[in-house]
Amino acid sequence: MGNDTLEAKYDRLRDSLAGYGSLLVAYSGGLDSSLLLKVSHDVLGDRVLAVTALSPTYPGQERAAAEALAKDLGVRLVTVETDELDIAGFADNPPERCYFCKSELFGELQAIARDEGIAYVADGSNADDVDDYRPGMQAACELGVVSPLNEAGLTKEDIRTLSKRLGLPTWDKPASACLASRFPYGEAITREKLAMVEAAESFLRELGFRQVRVRHHGTIARIEVAPEAIERLASPAVRAQVVHRLTEIGYDYVTLDCRGYRTGSMNEVLPEATGTRRDVAQRPARGRGLSEGP
C-alpha cells in the first residue's frame, strides 16, 4: 500500500467503513479521530456513534472543541467519565502503561457498543503509529478494535491533506496526546502532576506556541516546541515570562529541549528490545465483531 495514491487510500477507507455496517468511534477531537468520525458518518450516517472519555489525562481545553465538531458533523456524541489513575499499575507509569489504559477503555466502549447494537469499535490509529512504541495498539488488537485509518494505509500527512479537503477545522491541528505521555517511565503519575503539566502547556499556548509539550521530570520542566519556535522561546522577554509562570506552577527548574518537539520522545530511552507493534499493524483488516464473543 506504500505506493498507493491518496485517492486509492481514501476509497479503501470508505469501502472498509461500509463493510462494518455500524461503528462506535473512540473520539478525542484530535486530527485522526476527527477524520475517522467525519468519513464514518459520511458512509454510515446515523449508524455511527462517537464516544469521548473524560479523565484527568484528557486536556480540558479539548472537550469543547470535540463536542462542537461532533455537533457540526451531526454525529451523536456520548461522554463517559474514566479515571486511569484507578487502573491497577497505571499510576506507577511502566512502559506498558498505555496497555492498561486502553484495555480498560476499549472494554468499556465495547460494552456501550453492545448496548447500542453497534457492530464494531474503532480507534484513530494511523499507518505512522506502527513506527513508535504503542502498547495501546496491542490492547486494541486483543479486544477486536478496528483501526480503519491504519488499515487503509493513511499516514499523518495523508490525514491532514484529506481533512483539509473535507473542510475539517482540525486539518492543521497540532498533534495531541494523553497528558500521561509527559512523564518519564517509572515516575509516578498523580492528579497534581497532571494539573501542573496542563497548566504549563496552556500558558505556552496562550503565548502562541501551537505545538508544545512540557515533559515532567520531577521538579524539572523540559519544554519541547517546534524547532522553528525555539529561537522565540529562548528570547529574553519570552523566556522570562515562561520561567516566571512555570515556577509559579511548581517547577524548580525550567529547561528548553534544543532538539524541539518530536512525537514519543519519552520512548527514546526504552531498550531496543522493547520494539514496536508492527505485528499489530499487520493483523487482519477486519477485526472481531461484537457479536462474535469477547
Side-chain angles (χ1 to χ4, degrees), residues 30 36 42 60 62 68 73 89 94 101 138 142 150 162 165 170 175 194 196 203 225 251 267 269 280:
L36 177 59
D42 288 348
E62 297 288 328
L73 294 176
C101 173
Q138 179 182 356
E142 291 175 355
N150 181 25
L162 273 178
R165 181 185 301 177
T170 51
L194 290 167
M196 288 174 66
F203 176 72
V225 294
Y251 291 104
N267 294 335
V269 300
V280 173

Side-chain angles (χ1 to χ4, degrees), residues 117-183:
I118 294 174
Y120 290 91
V121 173
D123 71 1
S125 298
N126 66 68
D128 288 336
D129 290 333
V130 300
D131 292 324
D132 193 12
Y133 176 61
R134 303 267 181 167
M137 294 179 71
Q138 179 182 356
C141 180
E142 291 175 355
L143 292 170
V145 173
V146 297
S147 301
L149 302 178
N150 181 25
E151 293 162 6
L154 288 162
T155 65
K156 185 71 76 172
E157 182 179 355
D158 292 334
I159 291 167
R160 289 197 184 281
T161 301
L162 273 178
S163 296
K164 185 175 184 179
R165 181 185 301 177
L166 295 174
L168 288 170
T170 51
W171 75 269
D172 65 343
K173 184 175 183 178
S176 58
C178 161
L179 290 174
S181 66
R182 312 316 194 251
F183 298 85

Side-chain angles (χ1 to χ4, degrees), residues 17 20 23-27 33 36 40 106 109 120-125 144-148:
L17 293 171
Y20 292 130
L23 203 63
L24 183 155
V25 174
Y27 172 62
S33 65
L36 177 59
S40 296
F106 289 141
L109 296 188
Y120 290 91
V121 173
D123 71 1
S125 298
V145 173
V146 297
S147 301

Side-chain angles (χ1 to χ4, degrees), residues 1 6-20 23 32 34-40 42-44 122-123 125 147-154 158-159 162 166 286:
M1 293 190 296
L6 180 57
E7 286 69 25
K9 295 177 184 180
Y10 182 43
D11 289 343
R12 186 184 300 118
L13 173 63
R14 292 179 60 90
D15 290 344
S16 176
L17 293 171
Y20 292 130
L23 203 63
D32 301 331
S34 294
L35 178 70
L36 177 59
L37 187 63
K38 160 68 175 171
V39 182
S40 296
D42 288 348
V43 173
L44 297 171
D123 71 1
S125 298
S147 301
L149 302 178
N150 181 25
E151 293 162 6
L154 288 162
D158 292 334
I159 291 167
L162 273 178
L166 295 174
R286 183 70 72 238

Side-chain angles (χ1 to χ4, degrees), residues 40-102:
S40 296
H41 184 251
D42 288 348
V43 173
L44 297 171
D46 60 7
R47 290 172 291 165
V48 172
L49 174 67
V51 178
T52 299
L54 307 177
S55 76
T57 67
Y58 180 66
Q61 65 179 18
E62 297 288 328
R63 178 176 182 174
E67 291 177 343
L69 180 56
K71 182 177 180 180
D72 288 344
L73 294 176
V75 179
R76 184 162 67 98
L77 173 65
V78 172
T79 58
V80 294
E81 298 284 345
T82 64
D83 194 340
E84 297 92 336
L85 298 179
D86 290 337
I87 300 172
F90 181 91
D92 295 332
N93 196 19
E96 62 272 24
R97 175 196 69 229
C98 290
Y99 176 83
F100 300 140
C101 173
K102 295 299 186 183

Side-chain angles (χ1 to χ4, degrees), residues 182-230:
R182 312 316 194 251
F183 298 85
Y185 295 116
E187 177 171 343
I189 300 174
T190 67
R191 287 174 177 77
E192 293 74 21
K193 292 177 182 179
L194 290 167
M196 288 174 66
V197 169
E198 184 168 9
E201 291 188 355
S202 293
F203 176 72
L204 286 161
R205 290 192 182 93
E206 289 170 7
L207 292 179
F209 296 98
R210 298 186 71 235
Q211 185 66 78
V212 61
R213 294 287 186 271
V214 175
R215 309 294 187 182
H216 184 107
H217 299 264
T219 61
I220 301 172
R222 175 170 60 88
I223 301 172
E224 296 177 10
V225 294
E228 62 271 18
I230 288 176

